[in-house]
Amino acid sequence: TGLTSGQRAVTVQKGPLYRVRGSHVTLWCKVSGYQGPAEQNFQWSIYLPSAPEREVQIVSTMDPLFPYAIYAQRVHSRGIFVERLQGDAVLLHITELQERDAGQYECHTPNTDERYFGSYSAKTNLSVIADTLSASMAPQALTLTEGDTVELTCEVSKSTAQHTHLSVGWFLLQGAEGHHTEEVLTLSKDFILKPGPSYEQRFQEGGVRLNKVGNTTYKLSIQGVKLSDQGQLYCEAAEWIEDPDETWKDISRKQTERTSLAVVSQGLSVAIAAAERSLSEGDTLQLKCVVGAPKSSSRHFEVIWLLDSVGVATVDPRGVLIWEEEYKERAKLGQLRAFKQSNAVYVLTIYEVGLKDKGTYQCSVLEMKTPGDLHSIQTNVSSGIQVNVKPVESHMRLSVSTSTPRVTVGDSLILHCEVQGATGPVSVRWWHLQPQHPGHRVLVATMEQDGTLSLGSTYQHGQARGSPRLEKESSGTFTLVIPSTLDEDDGGQYRCEATQWSPGRNWTEKGEAAVTVSSMGLHATLRSRVATVTHGQSFELFCQVNTSYTLEEVPVSVRWLFQPSPSTPAHELVRLSPSGTVLWGTEQPRFQGKAQLAKADTSFRLHIHSAQPADEGTYQCEVEVWRRNTLPVGQPAASARSNVVGIKVVLPESKLQVATEDSSVEIASGNAAIECRIVFAQNNSQFAVTWYLLPPLADAAPSQIIRANYGSILEYGSKFSSAAQKSRFLSQRVSSSVFQLQILSAGLRDQGRYYCVVEEWLWLVDGWYKLGEGTSGRTTLKFKLPEHGLQMERTNHSLSAREGEEVTLPCRLQGPHQPGTQLSATWFQVENSGPDSALLTLGYDGTMEYPQEHLAARLYLRRPSAGDFSLTLSSVERGDAGAYYCQLEQWQQQSEGKDWALRALARSGYTQLATIPPESTVLSRICSSPSLLNFILYFPLVLILLLALAVLRWHCKFRK
């Protein structure tokens, strides 16, 4: 409210505030715009409703004796205290609010400034209201089984007269002494349900709910309780009120009695048994998995059969059977069977067991809330049993090899599996053992004993690798051909499994061969013979590609990128496709007519003709290759982006020369012309001219007057942007090499040194570019004053005025002026830099001008006499302080109907104006000035000492 920089302002928490009796209350207060130490002191007082004009002191940060007796005991016992937030901000704490604490609170900051300036205190109102909030819940001791549902109700009510909101929440106390509190679910004051971190997932699934079932009744429901829900549950209600600063404050909180909750585990056990644990090849293995659990008939189990920790089959709670990939074929042939005998008994039978069926069998049981609910598994229990299978002797031998041990991505793989000594039909399976997934294998192809061929699911769609082939040669060799490798992951071990089949028996042999698939390694390097080119020259960029193979063997594409500046994205200039098609980018279309592409064995070349400034930036090439024997579609097999190469385009050298000789122009009155001359420049250049003024003061900074760009568009400097100044200063080009600054109705205020800055601009195909600039010499503007001058009072004055009042600045003519002449007067305020500011002008024709329009309403020339041009400044402001002077001009019309001519002029002395703050007094000045205060205190002592010295001197002289 009218404060300025450096003015002290004290702010207190906005009221009125409503707080509940018995609660802990805080009020904040802070100060800004102060001087002195960073740590400010604060004093709190209250004005009671019974005596609103009487200040009752409460507590101070600097004076322990500050509190009145009514508050002294509470302050001493820390029932009321001040917490310092930082050097200039505090909190007033009232730990237990009482009825008598209602009233208007004032926060005061003692003065540390050099003078009083601003506000030193602020007030706010605090009302004390009754606590009407109540919360109740009947205490219980509950014992539930895992999976049961618990429901609790809480009664919450209030009768506060003010508008308030409620929040209601449930909390769980856990630990030996209930030290750990866990939030369950809260209905916030904004009517939003917010679960605690441990109950977030169950809340999202609908397992934890809070409902308002009556005007004052809130119900918490927890479905499927867990062991982690054990503890003491209670309800907490809070009452919230919105303060005038639009923040919400909890003014009361209540907790209910607690309900004890104990959760009992359901328990689950699993046992696995085999009719015979030691078998021979061809025997039958039967395993039973028995689930032991209370109420098992009403519970839901999923059973997983495993062999050596690898899945065999799964029976879901509905009895649906799912075989793993490796066992589907045997199950289809009737060699395997698994089923759910009852909700507690599950059976797995393997007919005609082989050596591969020996190992440790496990039965893993997972309990679910409901069938198919994969996100609510409660228990996972398993049991295992060891089964041994004795081999039946076989004479079959297996040899695995490859004719392609090392290949590049895109090449084919050829693997051989030679079977010898088989006395019956043989089936073959090829597996890929992926090195990136140890223990995991992928089926490639199968040939059954009857010659039927099938592919694994990964290889059934052969667009990428082609369709694998598995052929049997007469020698008993099974050859697998994969037409095209996809990537490096196609390397690793390939396993051949050959099985000899006999009635009731089969024998399997395994063998492996390793292959290595190398990536299509690719590296690109970009270089240029030159990094800087002159406008109009050509340059070349070379993209060198390094590979372990020749580019002619694979489809390849090259993309050239261009980035004009670091702040803009890179654009695609051109792309050379694998088929040789050239595709030009749309962001930089000019390159299509000036760039050429070429290709050598392992490099690509980009040639750019006639470089322009727009071609300056960074260039980069990107190379992409596809696998052999494939069409270049989809993602490439490899790609590489080169380093960036920067190209700088240098503009033509500027030949501009501007005349630098100093000169002067002297006039008596009227218009003035300042000349700026170009000595030499290119014929097709355009020019921008900027005019500057150096005021008479030696250290003054130049001020921009006007700028005319190469398109003759004018732009005025900040000190010359008023309508009056624009009408007086004009820039003109009077010839191809001469520019003039026209100053209309020039006066003494226009004295100074003028110069111009000329910029040379050239159009280069795509735009205007600045080539250089030159600065002219200084031209001094002088005024030839008439021999008979005006006589004015030249005395310098110092005035002071209180802010808000008015002051008159003197300007008087001494003696009469010549008959037949008219006087004009202009008032100026001295500026630190640039020309002095004209405030008011009274023309010789009686017209009044206000160059500073915002001051017009405060400036008056009352002229009590013809020679008095004193200026009255009303409603003095702090910014009015400074130096002022007036200038009088004597004008005479040369003859009837002719122009008026300046005959004489004079300038007054300077008037220094100082402003005084409105609240400043003599006493406050003395108190805020230590040196003045010390002078007043010690001045009587100094007088006494001087008097004593005088008496002693006189006495000594008398004795002589």
Side-chain angles (χ1 to χ4, degrees), residues 130-381:
D131 187 358
T132 64
L133 178 66
S134 69
S136 62
M137 180 178 70
Q140 304 177 68
L142 303 177
T143 301
L144 302 176
T145 303
E146 280 185 289
D148 290 348
T149 298
V150 61
E151 292 186 345
L152 300 173
T153 58
C154 179
E155 296 288 335
V156 179
S157 64
K158 65 178 180 69
S159 58
T160 307
Q162 286 71 29
H163 175 72
T164 59
H165 286 188
L166 289 177
S167 64
V168 180
W170 262 269
F171 297 85
L172 175 63
L173 285 176
Q174 294 178 317
E177 299 180 5
H179 291 313
H180 178 67
T181 303
E182 188 79 42
E183 182 182 9
V184 180
L185 187 59
T186 298
L187 177 63
S188 72
K189 68 180 185 303
D190 304 315
F191 314 109
I192 298 173
L193 287 173
K194 298 180 179 179
S198 299
Y199 289 86
E200 175 74 32
Q201 181 66 32
R202 294 164 71 182
F203 171 75
Q204 297 294 338
E205 295 170 354
V208 179
R209 301 194 304 272
L210 193 159
N211 296 316
K212 186 176 182 181
V213 296
N215 290 334
T216 61
T217 305
Y218 299 81
K219 183 171 73 173
L220 172 70
S221 298
I222 303 178
Q223 297 177 353
V225 294
K226 301 179 179 181
L227 293 175
S228 60
D229 295 328
Q230 292 188 114
Q232 300 181 70
L233 290 162
Y234 67 89
C235 169
E236 180 179 277
E239 185 174 6
W240 300 77
I241 192 168
E242 187 177 18
D243 285 344
D245 61 1
E246 298 183 354
T247 62
W248 286 85
K249 169 66 179 172
D250 54 331
I251 59 175
S252 180
R253 286 185 177 270
K254 296 293 174 63
Q255 291 184 4
T256 66
E257 295 187 74
R258 299 169 183 173
T259 288
S260 175
L261 174 62
V263 181
V264 179
S265 174
Q266 292 190 10
L268 183 65
S269 64
V270 175
I272 186 171
E276 182 61 51
R277 297 173 58 178
S278 182
L279 306 169
S280 297
E281 286 184 285
D283 292 343
T284 298
L285 172 64
Q286 187 178 72
L287 300 171
K288 281 190 178 182
C289 179
V290 181
V291 180
K295 304 178 183 178
S296 62
S297 61
S298 60
R299 295 162 71 173
H300 309 283
F301 305 111
E302 180 178 87
V303 176
I304 303 174
W305 290 99
L306 303 102
L307 172 58
D308 293 335
S309 301
V310 177
V312 176
T314 301
V315 182
D316 72 5
R318 298 184 180 90
V320 177
L321 174 64
I322 303 172
W323 291 102
E324 295 298 325
E325 182 71 25
E326 186 178 350
Y327 296 91
K328 286 182 179 180
E329 185 62 30
R330 294 176 66 186
K332 186 188 300 182
L333 298 174
Q335 299 174 5
L336 303 176
R337 186 184 178 210
F339 62 94
K340 176 181 179 180
Q341 185 172 314
S342 68
N343 206 39
V345 180
Y346 299 81
V347 179
L348 171 65
T349 303
I350 302 177
Y351 304 98
E352 298 180 1
V353 296
L355 293 178
K356 61 185 176 183
D357 297 321
K358 70 178 180 179
T360 301
Y361 286 83
Q362 289 176 286
C363 171
S364 178
V365 179
L366 291 80
E367 184 176 2
M368 301 180 176
K369 286 184 179 180
T370 58
D373 188 353
L374 299 180
H375 300 288
S376 57
I377 295 175
Q378 300 294 306
T379 312
N380 187 344
V381 182

Side-chain angles (χ1 to χ4, degrees), residues 337-587:
R337 186 184 178 210
F339 62 94
K340 176 181 179 180
Q341 185 172 314
S342 68
N343 206 39
V345 180
Y346 299 81
V347 179
L348 171 65
T349 303
I350 302 177
Y351 304 98
E352 298 180 1
V353 296
L355 293 178
K356 61 185 176 183
D357 297 321
K358 70 178 180 179
T360 301
Y361 286 83
Q362 289 176 286
C363 171
S364 178
V365 179
L366 291 80
E367 184 176 2
M368 301 180 176
K369 286 184 179 180
T370 58
D373 188 353
L374 299 180
H375 300 288
S376 57
I377 295 175
Q378 300 294 306
T379 312
N380 187 344
V381 182
S382 62
S383 180
I385 188 172
Q386 180 72 33
V387 174
N388 295 320
V389 179
K390 299 176 183 178
V392 176
E393 192 171 335
S394 171
H395 301 284
M396 184 174 66
R397 296 183 306 279
L398 195 67
S399 175
V400 181
S401 62
T402 177
S403 55
T404 55
R406 294 183 177 274
V407 297
T408 302
V409 171
D411 292 343
S412 59
L413 289 181
I414 303 175
L415 300 122
H416 309 283
C417 181
E418 184 179 359
V419 179
Q420 295 177 341
T423 57
V426 175
S427 65
V428 172
R429 289 191 175 195
W430 279 97
W431 300 87
H432 179 208
L433 309 182
Q434 297 175 320
Q436 70 274 21
H437 300 295
H440 180 68
R441 59 184 185 174
V442 177
L443 180 63
V444 181
T446 299
M447 179 178 287
E448 303 296 348
Q449 58 266 37
D450 61 357
T452 304
L453 180 65
S454 62
L455 299 177
S457 59
T458 304
Y459 293 84
Q460 289 178 0
H461 306 288
Q463 291 89 343
R465 294 184 178 89
S467 297
R469 303 190 306 274
L470 179 54
E471 301 173 348
K472 180 182 179 182
E473 300 177 6
S474 58
S475 61
T477 300
F478 297 82
T479 300
L480 173 67
V481 178
I482 300 177
S484 177
T485 50
L486 184 60
D487 50 35
E488 294 175 271
D489 293 341
D490 283 345
Q493 297 286 336
Y494 283 82
R495 175 183 295 172
C496 173
E497 291 184 357
T499 302
Q500 176 183 330
W501 297 88
S502 300
R505 293 288 188 273
N506 58 71
W507 295 268
T508 300
E509 295 291 336
K510 304 175 184 178
E512 296 176 2
V515 297
T516 301
V517 179
S518 301
S519 66
M520 301 185 70
L522 190 65
H523 181 72
T525 303
L526 185 63
R527 60 185 178 83
S528 174
R529 291 193 177 95
V530 293
T532 301
V533 296
T534 304
H535 175 267
Q537 289 185 339
S538 300
F539 62 94
E540 285 184 332
L541 298 166
F542 298 89
C543 182
Q544 182 68 42
V545 183
N546 296 319
T547 65
S548 59
Y549 45 90
T550 60
L551 294 180
E552 284 73 11
E553 297 177 1
V554 295
V556 58
S557 74
V558 179
R559 190 163 70 111
W560 290 91
L561 304 172
F562 172 63
Q563 186 177 17
S565 67
S567 61
T568 59
H571 304 304
E572 179 178 297
L573 291 184
V574 62
R575 178 192 292 267
L576 178 64
S577 70
S579 63
T581 303
V582 177
L583 302 174
W584 293 95
T586 58
E587 295 290 338

Side-chain angles (χ1 to χ4, degrees), residues 18-52:
Y18 295 91
R19 296 295 185 264
V20 168
R21 182 176 60 249
S23 63
H24 186 140
V25 175
T26 60
L27 298 174
W28 60 260
C29 179
K30 59 185 178 181
V31 61
S32 62
Y34 57 86
Q35 300 175 355
E39 184 170 289
Q40 295 285 298
N41 283 303
F42 294 81
Q43 296 175 339
W44 286 90
S45 303
I46 188 174
Y47 296 86
L48 300 173
S50 58

